Amino acid sequence: MGNYIRPVPIGIDNFKKIIEDGYCYVDKTDLIEDILTRGALVNLFPRPRRFGKTLTISMLENYFNVKKRDENVDLFKGLKIEEASEKIREQQGKYPVISLNLKSVKANSWKEEYNLLKDIMSQLYYDYIEILECLNTTEAQEYNAILLKQAQNDVYQLSLKKLSKYLYRYYKQPVVIL
């Protein structure tokens, strides 16, 4: 096969793309086992700028996300997490994941930023549109209002908490918020 030098993923912070396209990757999947065995409800990963925070979040999302279970079944083959106990490996693809990236929320006014935040919440609600079937009429109306970016301001204040509650109800699993 010869000597193959993997390309460096400069500017790429998508774990799945890096693995599937054969980029050079420093395996940090042992962090998954650390998170699961630590038992903390909240984990904070402070890192300096350009130190792989977004890539780490992408890795965690791809590992835990129930909606990506089938497409990501082989994504972690050959990585450190594969050496973890069966109990740890059973967690792959088990949880609903809310991945909230605020990188793009940059604007010149609060109103513009607020509209960008509404766009993000709308997309998150769209990503889990299947849960509408387990909502009552009032919840479904609020859900659709956020989906269409037409909700009142007070509805947005609790939108992340409510989405988490609805996901727990639908999937009957704790929700991972990244």
Side-chain angles (χ1 to χ4, degrees), residues 11-23:
I12 301 172
D13 55 15
N14 181 306
F15 176 78
K16 186 172 185 165
K17 180 169 181 54
I18 287 172
I19 298 301
E20 289 182 343
D21 292 354
Y23 284 95

Side-chain angles (χ1 to χ4, degrees), residues 14-162:
N14 181 306
F15 176 78
K16 186 172 185 165
K17 180 169 181 54
I18 287 172
I19 298 301
E20 289 182 343
D21 292 354
Y23 284 95
C24 183
Y25 173 68
V26 176
D27 190 349
K28 296 180 184 177
T29 58
D30 53 346
L31 176 66
I32 297 166
E33 183 175 17
D34 186 45
I35 290 168
L36 290 170
T37 56
R38 188 180 303 160
L41 290 176
V42 175
N43 291 281
L44 180 63
F45 306 108
R47 300 284 189 273
R49 238 186 113 182
R50 308 292 314 149
F51 213 78
K53 292 181 295 291
T54 304
L55 179 57
T56 299
I57 294 296
S58 177
M59 174 195 65
L60 294 171
E61 178 185 6
N62 280 283
Y63 190 80
F64 290 118
N65 200 330
V66 68
K67 290 190 77 161
K68 296 181 178 184
R69 176 183 18 223
D70 294 335
E71 69 184 77
N72 289 346
V73 71
D74 294 328
L75 199 57
F76 292 85
K77 294 248 187 273
L79 298 177
K80 289 179 187 174
I81 193 64
E82 214 177 25
E83 299 168 10
S85 70
E86 182 67 26
K87 184 178 179 183
I88 297 296
R89 290 192 322 271
E90 287 173 351
Q91 306 305 306
Q92 184 177 357
K94 186 175 179 181
Y95 304 99
V97 174
I98 299 172
S99 186
L100 190 63
N101 187 335
L102 302 177
K103 268 185 172 181
S104 63
V105 182
K106 295 176 185 166
N108 294 322
S109 70
W110 163 243
K111 186 174 182 168
E112 290 174 23
E113 285 185 354
Y114 182 61
N115 286 331
L116 291 171
L117 288 169
K118 285 168 50 174
D119 288 344
I120 289 170
M121 289 312 300
S122 173
Q123 184 60 53
L124 285 173
Y125 273 56
Y126 180 78
D127 290 345
Y128 286 102
I129 200 158
E130 70 275 7
I131 68 174
L132 270 168
E133 68 186 51
C134 77
L135 305 181
N136 66 39
T137 305
T138 304
E139 291 169 337
Q141 287 172 342
E142 278 188 357
Y143 198 99
N144 283 319
I146 291 171
L147 199 58
L148 299 170
K149 297 181 260 183
Q150 297 172 346
Q152 298 297 317
N153 290 345
D154 61 325
V155 173
Y156 284 105
Q157 290 176 356
L158 296 175
S159 59
L160 185 60
K161 183 177 183 177
K162 287 183 178 183

